[in-house]
């Protein structure tokens, strides 16, 4: 298990979210490509959009629920990513939060 630590703009802790090893590995892979250590809600949503866009190209569908099902069936971490995004969206100052991945 790993965790995402969500920090407020003043660097106080806003939330700690435990995540699976599979989501951690995928985030780490993406962050290594982008060469980032900290990220935000915008980047998580961008990952979600890219996964859905890929599912759309593969299924020739634009139905968002169908695309989510395809992504969930294909990627064991996708539902968890959606849960993380949803949880962060409920926090105050959600667009100004910084997120760090740690073991």
């Amino acid at each position: 298990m790993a965790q995402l630590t969500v920090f407020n703009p003043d660097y106080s802790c806003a939330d700690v979210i435990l995540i699976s090893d599979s989501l951690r590995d995928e985030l780490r892979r993406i962050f290594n490509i982008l060469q980032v250590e900290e990220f935000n809600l915008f980047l998580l949503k961008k990952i979600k959009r890219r996964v859905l866009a890929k599912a759309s190209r593969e299924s020739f569908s634009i139905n968002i629920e169908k695309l989510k099902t395809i992504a969930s069936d294909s990627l064991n971490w996708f539902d968890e990513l959606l849960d993380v995004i949803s949880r962060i969206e409920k926090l105050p100052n959600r667009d100004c939060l910084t997120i760090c991945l740690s073991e």
Side-chain angles (χ1 to χ4, degrees):
M1 294 292 283
Q3 71 181 33
L4 298 176
T5 306
V6 184
F7 294 99
N8 288 308
D10 67 358
Y11 292 103
S12 62
C13 184
D15 200 359
V16 175
I17 304 170
L18 296 178
I19 61 170
S20 68
D21 292 341
S22 58
L23 180 57
R24 177 206 60 210
D25 293 345
E26 185 60 24
L27 291 176
R28 186 178 290 143
R29 184 186 72 78
I30 293 167
F31 300 155
N32 284 339
I33 291 168
L34 299 175
Q35 299 181 349
V36 298
E37 292 184 21
E38 297 179 345
F39 55 101
N40 56 24
L41 181 59
F42 176 78
L43 182 56
L44 293 176
K45 287 181 174 182
K46 188 172 184 174
I47 294 168
K48 172 188 157 186
R49 285 191 305 273
R50 287 194 176 206
V51 169
L52 293 176
K54 186 172 194 258
S56 175
R57 286 191 302 270
E58 291 176 3
S59 69
F60 303 105
S61 175
I62 57 170
N63 179 309
I64 192 71
E65 291 308 314
K66 181 177 179 182
L67 296 176
K68 285 181 182 178
T69 300
I70 292 168
S72 295
D73 291 345
S74 302
L75 304 166
N76 65 347
W77 50 265
F78 186 72
D79 287 338
E80 187 177 7
L81 175 67
L82 296 179
D83 291 342
V84 167
I85 290 170
S86 176
R87 185 165 167 177
I88 294 171
E89 285 179 326
K90 294 176 184 172
L91 295 172
N93 301 316
R94 68 184 190 193
D95 296 324
C96 300
L97 300 173
T98 301
I99 307 165
C100 295
L101 174 66
S102 60
E103 296 295 322

